[in-house]
Every structure is written in structure tokens, then in C-alpha cells.
Amino acid sequence: MNETFYITTPIYYASGSPHIGHVYTSICCDILARWNRQILGNKSVFFQTGTDEHGQKIVEKAKEANLEILEFVNNKSNQFLKMTKDFEITNNNFLRTTNPEHKKLVQKYLQIAFDKGDIYLGEYKGYYCVGCERYFEEKDLDENKCCLIHKKKCEKKCEKNYFFFLSKYENQLLDFYKKNPDFISPKNKQDEIINRVKEGLRDISISRNKTDLNWGIEIPFDKTHITYVWFDALFNYLTGLEINKKEEFWPANIHIVGHDISWFHLVYWPIFLMSVNKELPKKVYSHGMILDKDGHKMSKSLNNAINPYEQIEKYGLDEFKYCLISTSPMGEDLKYNEEQVIKKINNELNNDLGNLISRVHTMIHNYFNGVIPQINLVGDYEKEFISEFDNFFEKYNKHIQNFELYKAINLVFEKVRYLNAYINKVEPWKQKDKQKLSSNINLLASAIKFLIFYLKPFMPNKVKLIEKQFRFQPF
Ligand code: MSP
């Protein structure tokens, strides 16, 4: 098989409804998947998303909602599936961790790790945060024993759990980071992670006794325990391929995750894979958080999340995506500010892009009866115009390969503004020489045709309209 591209979103907790953070992660991945399909071909790309459906938080939420757990997760998972449709996410697979095939495969991997001596029965004493689905030490909590993320009191627990021997792999992991300097991305996250690993890894609990929690995957070597959350969830990236007979896509090119869950992907996941003798993914990219106007992370629990459905209703899907992506680097936090959204739509989409399209379209109609004229003349003026687009593919593609989506889309809009300035400069409406006029208009129409190829991963609907308007053959 030729070059392949496998990209994943995290699987979303089926404990709440989709919010702007989930939509953001999915949109970033979608743009990357769409671009790679354009350059590698549809069959060379596999894009997976899904839902994470086990664990204590889900049991509690189902109880609150007065529903059977399975009914509850079916509901929630369907909402995420609907989100992928409503936001036109082009995933090839939607994996649910309650899928029996996924469960069987997780059991297979548990057994491999156990046989290797990487899983052992131990005693856990600590504070459990249901929100994070993990244990904390007392020193990690505030004075009221609340976790710093969810601000909720953690339960003190002492129980027999199966542990994963994370500490055994510390040096192997550090060695892997050294040999694969692109694995932790963006680069400014590397020191933090490497230093934390160097401070020492503690083994982690990966099971609960069924009497405590009975909503997870049964441990194959001890039927009184279940595994849930991280050992279950992380393996989705592999089981999704195995279930669909797409193993040739492994190792993943890129796991995109929010930086709140990067530790699990940069430390637990590579170690689990080492343990079960699988190749490691090529890269984990941690994107920033969407913040409210005051700089707080948008989340269900803080009740400050913007409803993405309302946004697409008000502004349109392509417009919403454009505003989310073009404002700041993917690796940094982004303050979502509706006033800025309105400004961007007016200035960049309506004035710059909209104007360009309508001006060129009108001139083709007024001067050439709606048929794009031939180019008859290539003088210095035209050469200068053409050279403006030199190495465009290389520049754009490099930005995308570096996950600088905002730079890629801004490069397109830089050219949109150049074309508007070109029209102002040559003033085709004053042109008496028909040959020169034909060349001007041909160049402009060709430049639009050229640019929409690059606009398409970001704004496929806008591109469809432009193709129709100019009667361009869709590519
Ligand atoms: N189920 C785990 C992931 C398991 S992956 C093997 C999980 N789920 S989640 O639903 O809580 O979060 C999923 C993704 O949404 C994470 O990448 C998280 O960073 C992202 N976001 C949640 N809130 C966010 C913002 N406010 N802004 C941007 N992304 C955020 O974690």
C-alpha cells in the first residue's frame, strides 16, 4: 500500500452532550483528514472518532437521569454520532467502547500485558476523582480534598486493584522520546512531559472490583474485576482498525488530543503499546482549550460553554469553522469571542472573499457573456501575477503538516486580498484592449480555481457554491 494517513480524535465521554470543545477537536481532525484525502486519495486516509462509555462517572450520570446505563450511553453516543453528521465530520469510523468486539480485543491486550508480568494485583490507597476517573495523592488536592480541575471533593478509597507496571518502562519511554523528537507535539510541550517522566512514574490502577463498579470490561484473568477508562479507552485507536480490518493503517500518524489529556496519550499509551509489542504512533498533538471571554476553559461543569449548534445556526457551518480555526495556533488556547466572530465574517468572508467572487463573476458576465475568456497574452504584468502563487502548495502543505492550520488558511486569504488589490490596480472596467482584458479576467478566474483547492478542506460548502457559480469542474 502507498503512503497512508491515520488520524484520530479522542473518544468522547458518553457522560454529557457534545460541546464546543469536542466540536473543535473534531473539526481540526476533519480538516487534516480532508486535506490528506485531497493529496493522497480517499482510500489512503482513515479517520476515527467515537465514544468512551465506561466508568464510574457514567454510572452516576445514568442514575441521575434515571435510566439503565446502556440506555443512557446509547443516548449520549447517538448525540456524538449526530454531532459528526451535523458538523460534517468525515470520519471513516465511529468506535464505541461498549462494542463487544472492542471489549474482546481489550481483553486480548490485557492478557498479553498480564502474561508479560506488566499487570499485578496491589492495594490502592488514595483519593479518587470521579470527574477525572483517576486517583490523586493528598498533595495534589486543595485543602478541602477537591481535585483542582473539577473542584469536587474526592473520595478516599482503599481497595485491591490491578496495577499496570508503568515504572518498568520509564527508561524505555525516555529513550523513545529521544529517538522520536517529533512524537510530542507541539515542541513546547516536550520539556514539561520529559521532566515529569524523569521525576519518576508511578504504577497506575487499571481495574476496579465489580462490587465497587460493574460497568467496564471484565478482566480475563480475574472475573471479579473490570477495567475501564484508560486501558479500555486508549486501545480504541487500535481496536477500531482491527474491527474494520484496516490494520495496515497502524501506527497512527497522529492522535489529536486536548492538552488536558495529553499525559495519558504521551505516557500511558506508548507504554501500553510497548507492553503488548505494538508499534507506537508517530505523533500526539495537543491542542489548546477553548476559553470563554474571561479566559476560563469552557466546560459543562462550569456552565460557560457556548452551544456550537447555536453558532452554526446563527453564522453557518463554514463560517463557524473558519472563525474557530483561523484565529490562533492550534497548540494555544483560544478565547471564543462572538464580537470577533462577527467582525471576521464581515471583513474576511464577506468583504474579502465574497467581494472577490462576486466582482470576478460579474465581470465574466458583463464582458464575456458568462464564459471565462482565454488567456492570449503573457507579459510582465501577468508574469508577476503568476509568480505570486509560486511554491504555494509547498508553503500551504508545510503549514498543514506542522499543524499550523491557521497559517494555512490565512495564506489562502492573503492571496484573496492580493487578487482584490490586483483588480483595483488593473481596473478591468477601464480596459479598452480586449486582449488585455481577457488575460486579466482569465488570470483572476484561474487564481480563484487554484485557491479553492486549498480552501476546500476548511470550507467545503463555500467551495461547492463557487464551483457551481463559475461552472468549474469539481476536483
Ligand atoms: N474520554 C476521554 C478521552 C479518551 S481518548 C482515549 C476524554 N473525553 S472528553 O469528552 O472529556 O474530552 C474529549 C476531548 O475534548 C479532549 O481532547 C478535550 O481536551 C476536549 N475538550 C474538552 N473541553 C475542551 C475545551 N473547552 N476546549 C477544547 N477542547 C476541549 O477526555
Side-chain angles (χ1 to χ4, degrees):
M1 189 149 181
N2 297 333
E3 191 183 343
T4 56
F5 184 76
Y6 177 33
I7 181 167
T8 64
T9 73
I11 45 171
Y12 303 115
Y13 279 133
S15 55
S17 305
H19 68 65
I20 194 162
H22 308 124
V23 167
Y24 177 65
T25 311
S26 289
I27 288 175
C28 292
C29 291
D30 184 56
I31 292 168
L32 291 159
R34 284 176 187 263
W35 173 245
N36 277 282
R37 285 194 193 102
Q38 276 182 216
I39 58 173
L40 300 174
N42 285 345
K43 288 206 174 117
S44 302
V45 174
F46 198 78
F47 169 19
Q48 179 166 291
T49 186
T51 40
D52 187 356
E53 303 184 18
H54 292 128
Q56 190 170 337
K57 185 159 54 182
I58 285 171
V59 174
E60 288 180 6
K61 292 275 180 187
K63 216 186 254 164
E64 274 170 35
N66 225 347
L67 288 174
E68 289 293 321
I69 310 175
L70 188 60
E71 194 183 348
F72 177 81
V73 291
N74 283 344
N75 269 340
K76 294 295 176 199
S77 182
N78 280 335
Q79 289 183 21
F80 281 99
L81 186 63
K82 183 169 179 316
M83 172 191 98
T84 65
K85 307 266 181 287
D86 294 335
F87 288 82
E88 297 178 7
I89 305 299
T90 57
N91 52 296
N92 299 94
N93 190 32
F94 187 94
L95 185 123
R96 298 183 56 180
T97 54
T98 46
N99 176 336
E101 289 181 86
H102 165 81
K103 293 203 229 175
K104 248 194 231 145
L105 288 163
V106 169
Q107 287 176 327
K108 175 182 90 178
Y109 288 117
L110 280 167
Q111 190 69 52
I112 297 174
F114 183 69
D115 292 343
K116 208 166 166 187
D118 290 344
I119 294 177
Y120 62 89
L121 193 62
E123 189 163 83
Y124 209 100
K125 283 197 192 99
Y127 290 85
Y128 195 77
C129 170
V130 178
C132 299
E133 293 279 19
R134 59 165 283 204
Y135 280 99
F136 283 104
E137 287 179 63
E138 197 168 345
K139 71 174 175 44
D140 301 321
L141 305 175
D142 71 10
E143 63 283 3
N144 301 317
K145 310 277 182 292
C146 292
C147 120
L148 303 181
I149 301 166
H150 294 90
K151 315 265 186 258
K152 277 202 182 145
K153 205 170 170 77
C154 295
E155 295 169 51
K156 189 164 188 189
K157 286 187 180 245
C158 172
E159 54 184 29
K160 276 217 173 314
N161 288 345
Y162 281 94
F163 282 73
F164 191 93
F165 206 167
L166 224 50
S167 51
K168 170 176 158 188
Y169 288 91
E170 204 172 291
N171 289 334
Q172 211 174 314
L173 182 65
L174 288 169
D175 194 46
F176 171 75
Y177 291 157
K178 210 184 220 164
K179 292 195 180 120
N180 297 276
D182 293 330
F183 178 70
I184 306 176
S185 281
K187 281 209 177 340
N188 61 11
K189 300 263 175 336
Q190 288 184 350
D191 288 350
E192 179 199 326
I193 297 290
I194 293 171
N195 289 338
R196 258 179 86 188
V197 174
K198 280 184 180 159
E199 277 168 23
L201 291 176
R202 291 182 43 166
D203 297 345
I204 50 160
S205 154
I206 56 153
S207 86
R208 301 281 296 275
N209 196 299
K210 277 186 182 171
T211 51
D212 274 329
L213 176 68
N214 198 2
W215 185 244
I217 301 176
E218 193 176 85
I219 299 270
F221 41 85
D222 183 343
K223 308 255 180 277
T224 64
H225 276 252
I226 52 124
T227 194
Y228 64 110
V229 188
W230 294 107
F231 201 96
D232 166 13
L234 287 163
F235 273 96
N236 91 84
Y237 301 129
L238 205 52
T239 63
L241 294 182
E242 291 180 85
I243 294 168
N244 286 282
K245 312 235 171 324
K246 295 277 181 195
E247 284 99 326
E248 68 273 20
F249 281 92
W250 192 257
N253 294 69
I254 175 81
H255 297 309
I256 305 267
V257 300
H259 68 64
D260 53 338
I261 56 167
S262 61
W263 176 255
F264 306 109
H265 286 78
L266 292 166
V267 178
Y268 292 15
W269 183 221
I271 290 181
F272 291 166
L273 287 167
M274 286 172 187
S275 170
V276 302
N277 309 315
K278 286 279 177 186
E279 258 186 275
L280 270 48
K282 295 190 183 139
K283 196 189 281 290
V284 173
Y285 189 97
S286 311
H287 67 71
M289 295 290 113
I290 311 241
L291 310 177
D292 63 17
K293 277 209 295 261
D294 307 319
H296 298 119
K297 177 184 159 188
M298 282 187 185
S299 74
K300 268 257 150 332
S301 37
L302 295 179
N303 208 12
N304 61 349
I306 278 189
N307 180 345
Y309 280 96
E310 266 172 36
Q311 298 294 298
I312 56 171
E313 184 104 339
K314 272 203 234 171
Y315 305 115
L317 176 58
D318 282 16
E319 287 78 359
F320 170 65
K321 287 198 316 200
Y322 175 79
C323 293
L324 266 188
I325 301 300
S326 66
T327 321
S328 64
M330 208 171 119
E332 286 172 23
D333 290 347
L334 157 79
K335 275 193 191 161
Y336 191 80
N337 174 344
E338 267 196 85
E339 281 159 35
Q340 205 191 354
V341 165
I342 295 170
K343 254 196 214 152
K344 278 178 87 65
I345 293 178
N346 285 338
N347 295 343
E348 295 156 33
L349 298 183
N350 297 344
N351 287 351
D352 295 341
L353 180 63
N355 240 340
L356 171 71
I357 299 302
S358 89
R359 286 165 102 187
V360 177
H361 186 249
T362 308
M363 291 191 284
I364 295 172
H365 269 267
N366 291 353
Y367 308 139
F368 299 99
N369 293 326
V371 180
I372 299 172
Q374 295 294 316
I375 188 157
N376 309 309
L377 189 106
V378 185
D380 286 349
Y381 232 51
E382 289 73 20
K383 280 191 188 140
E384 187 196 315
F385 180 98
I386 293 164
S387 70
E388 188 62 29
F389 295 87
D390 281 352
N391 304 322
F392 190 90
F393 176 89
E394 288 74 12
K395 285 187 213 155
Y396 174 99
N397 192 39
K398 189 164 168 224
H399 290 324
I400 300 236
Q401 303 306 341
N402 291 337
F403 303 92
E404 293 178 310
L405 300 185
Y406 80 111
K407 283 196 182 166
I409 186 70
N410 285 324
L411 196 65
V412 175
F413 276 76
E414 213 178 84
K415 297 301 170 208
V416 166
R417 283 185 282 276
Y418 169 78
L419 296 179
N420 275 322
Y422 177 81
I423 299 177
N424 296 344
K425 193 165 83 178
V426 299
E427 301 183 309
W429 48 91
K430 288 191 184 159
Q431 187 59 263
K432 295 277 178 288
D433 179 338
K434 192 88 184 178
Q435 254 202 346
K436 276 198 181 151
L437 183 64
S438 301
S439 298
N440 290 159
I441 304 297
N442 177 285
L443 284 177
L444 285 164
S446 308
I448 290 174
K449 190 171 183 190
F450 175 86
L451 283 182
I452 58 173
F453 181 75
Y454 299 94
L455 193 60
K456 199 169 182 177
F458 294 83
M459 306 178 85
N461 298 306
K462 272 254 163 335
V463 167
K464 244 187 233 152
L465 288 177
I466 299 172
E467 279 170 347
K468 225 170 146 188
Q469 210 174 345
F470 287 85
R471 286 188 242 128
F472 292 146
Q473 280 296 336
F475 39 81

